[in-house]
Amino acid sequence: MKLMTLSEISQRLESYEETIVFKLIDRAQFAANGIIYERGKSGFKGAGNLSLLELRLQFQEQMDTQFGKYCVPDERPFIKSSSAPRRKAMVDDRGILIEDCNVINLTEDIMRGYRAIIPLICEAVDDGHYGSAVEHDVYALQAISRRIHFGSLYAAEAKYTADPEGFRKLIDANDHEGLMKRLTRKTVEDNIISRVREKTIATQALVNREIRRAIKPEVVVQFYEECIIPLTKRGQVQYLLNRKEPESHAA
Amino acid sequence: MKLMTLSEISQRLESYEETIVFKLIDRAQFAANGIIYERGKSGFKGAGNLSLLELRLQFQEQMDTQFGKYCVPDERPFIKSSSAPRRKAMVDDRGILIEDCNVINLTEDIMRGYRAIIPLICEAVDDGHYGSAVEHDVYALQAISRRIHFGSLYAAEAKYTADPEGFRKLIDANDHEGLMKRLTRKTVEDNIISRVREKTIATQALVNREIRRAIKPEVVVQFYEECIIPLTKRGQVQYLLNRKEPESHAA
């Protein structure tokens, strides 16, 4: 059980930025296709009231579960699954001190935030490519969710370790606002924002815009500012409020 | 039934370049993990002699089949599936004149070519992230396969239409080599090669190489030169040798 340093965690979060940018660009190659988000309009017989996206998530996550994806603390399904993994995944908790990682589950907020940027990155029409659109929705959602849940768990623990007394007081007082304030590192956030802006520009520098849709760097910036960063911090607060010292230490 | 022009087809192929580059970069974030390609070592109970990658492909393609993916002429599963689609996909054949598109199936060669570049893009170790590695293998293979099969079908038909007599002679003579020569447009290939080199560089221009693995532009170039371009042309030859005029025209 080796605790990652805050710097190692930040580096991991930084390395997820390209992945998120790539997934958003890939999704933008298909139209918004609003119908794929409408409940009961999946076009699947017997699929009841699910939207096509929810159905795709269900299929994907059932598959991923079998491959051991949700055995890792920072992976979280969007739709509850009842099946058990068929292969043992490498579970590496690296010092997460919480009884049930699933207490921190931001998938609903992630879905809301993601749905909000679809009209900003995709063409506001229906191109009929519903299957491809939900496929790319799933990949984007998974990359975003992993970034947020990884940051929620590991960064919170590392921040706590750097100042146990300060955090203990806020946790004992159940002081959400105080915790949020203490977790915030404005310079780090500013760096993230300018990095994702520049990466979105660089990634699309040679795109032929007549044949491939580009996404606006400011949309990615806004998404980080209004969704990814605040949700990661909300997850950190949840982690800290549910954090439990191991018995041997507490004795 | 609207035939795409050769220029429209080339543009579509060009727009796939970023997607392929993104998928290869994402795969490179995980180690080579050679064991995932070894038969009988999937770690799945009852999975018989399949490798973990083959198993993942099987799961993914069974899911994709239900979402209608393989109703589109340019999508081809790597592993034969017996299930039928659960939703009707938009099938748009755009003037492909062949009885069974599946006659053109280059998946085995694509797999061979892809496997050959894994040691060139991934770290030659085992990082235990087998689930993530095969997940990204599947996405990369699907993107590459779509590019090759799309180019095989549509570009061949457009090239034929531009010179029916010239091609008819070579087809009637079953002249593989002659067809290959006539299909080759050296300037176009040179443009593709320099474009993918530049795109791989631009996409990774701001990557922090201490924390995220970059791939060498020359590897992507080599992959296009030795795999993607030749296989697309081999598919075009197969298409032309199996091309059938519609009865109404032939009468």
Side-chain angles (χ1 to χ4, degrees), chain B residues 23-94:
Chain B
K23 306 291 188 217
L24 294 178
I25 294 173
D26 278 341
R27 171 61 181 93
Q29 304 315 310
F30 303 94
N33 292 320
I35 195 172
I36 63 180
Y37 306 116
E38 285 179 41
R39 293 245 159 94
K41 299 209 173 156
S42 71
F44 270 63
K45 275 177 202 155
N49 203 34
L50 293 179
S51 69
L52 189 65
L53 172 59
E54 287 168 329
L55 207 67
R56 178 80 186 189
L57 274 168
Q58 195 178 62
F59 273 77
Q60 174 85 34
E61 293 181 347
Q62 276 167 359
M63 171 174 73
D64 288 340
T65 296
Q66 299 205 41
F67 282 75
K69 189 171 199 134
Y70 304 112
C71 300
V72 181
D74 47 324
E75 293 285 11
R76 197 79 72 255
F78 281 78
I79 289 173
K80 280 199 175 53
S81 166
S82 52
S83 43
R86 280 179 63 182
R87 63 179 279 277
K88 207 171 136 51
M90 183 192 67
V91 180
D92 179 2
D93 63 10
R94 304 244 191 139

Side-chain angles (χ1 to χ4, degrees), chain A residues 43-142:
Chain A
F44 270 63
K45 274 176 202 156
N49 203 34
L50 293 179
S51 69
L52 189 65
L53 172 59
E54 287 168 328
L55 206 68
R56 178 80 187 188
L57 274 169
Q58 194 178 65
F59 273 76
Q60 174 85 33
E61 293 182 345
Q62 277 167 359
M63 171 174 72
D64 288 340
T65 295
Q66 299 205 41
F67 282 75
K69 188 170 201 134
Y70 305 111
C71 300
V72 181
D74 47 323
E75 293 284 11
R76 198 79 72 257
F78 281 79
I79 289 173
K80 279 198 177 54
S81 166
S82 53
S83 44
R86 280 178 64 183
R87 64 178 281 275
K88 207 171 136 51
M90 184 193 67
V91 180
D92 178 3
D93 62 9
R94 306 244 191 139
I96 295 298
L97 294 176
I98 190 164
E99 272 173 22
D100 178 9
C101 286
N102 291 308
V103 168
I104 297 129
N105 187 331
L106 296 146
T107 50
E108 274 184 38
D109 301 280
I110 293 169
M111 180 63 88
R112 206 173 301 121
Y114 175 75
R115 289 278 310 277
I117 62 158
I118 287 297
L120 306 178
I121 63 171
C122 298
E123 210 183 341
V125 295
D126 186 314
D127 63 11
H129 291 292
Y130 304 150
S132 298
V134 291
E135 180 185 331
H136 288 87
D137 278 336
V138 169
Y139 303 154
L141 284 165
Q142 289 186 330

Side-chain angles (χ1 to χ4, degrees), chain B residues 77-191:
Chain B
F78 281 78
I79 289 173
K80 280 199 175 53
S81 166
S82 52
S83 43
R86 280 179 63 182
R87 63 179 279 277
K88 207 171 136 51
M90 183 192 67
V91 180
D92 179 2
D93 63 10
R94 304 244 191 139
I96 296 296
L97 294 176
I98 190 165
E99 270 173 22
D100 178 10
C101 287
N102 291 308
V103 167
I104 296 128
N105 188 331
L106 295 148
T107 52
E108 274 183 38
D109 302 280
I110 292 169
M111 179 63 87
R112 206 173 301 121
Y114 175 75
R115 289 277 310 278
I117 62 158
I118 287 297
L120 306 179
I121 63 171
C122 298
E123 210 183 342
V125 295
D126 186 314
D127 62 11
H129 290 292
Y130 304 150
S132 297
V134 291
E135 182 184 330
H136 288 87
D137 278 336
V138 169
Y139 303 154
L141 284 165
Q142 289 187 329
I144 296 159
S145 171
R146 180 157 214 188
R147 193 277 181 207
I148 290 173
H149 288 106
F150 180 88
S152 296
L153 301 171
Y154 295 96
E157 180 59 29
K159 287 176 182 177
Y160 180 94
T161 307
D163 176 19
E165 277 180 39
F167 276 106
R168 196 70 258 166
K169 257 185 249 170
L170 294 165
I171 291 168
D172 290 343
N174 198 29
D175 183 354
H176 286 242
E177 226 173 290
L179 281 169
M180 190 60 104
K181 214 171 149 189
R182 197 166 207 104
L183 289 163
T184 301
R185 297 178 301 158
K186 188 73 177 63
T187 326
V188 173
E189 291 181 14
D190 289 345
N191 283 342

Side-chain angles (χ1 to χ4, degrees), chain A residues 149-199:
Chain A
H149 288 106
F150 180 87
S152 297
L153 302 171
Y154 295 96
E157 180 59 29
K159 287 176 182 176
Y160 179 95
T161 308
D163 176 19
E165 277 180 42
F167 276 106
R168 196 70 257 165
K169 258 185 247 168
L170 295 164
I171 292 168
D172 291 342
N174 197 28
D175 183 355
H176 286 242
E177 224 172 292
L179 282 169
M180 191 59 105
K181 214 171 150 186
R182 195 164 208 103
L183 288 164
T184 301
R185 299 178 299 159
K186 187 75 176 64
T187 326
V188 173
E189 292 181 13
D190 289 345
N191 283 343
I192 294 171
I193 293 303
S194 73
R195 238 179 10 232
V196 297
R197 180 185 290 113
E198 295 304 320
K199 283 177 180 177

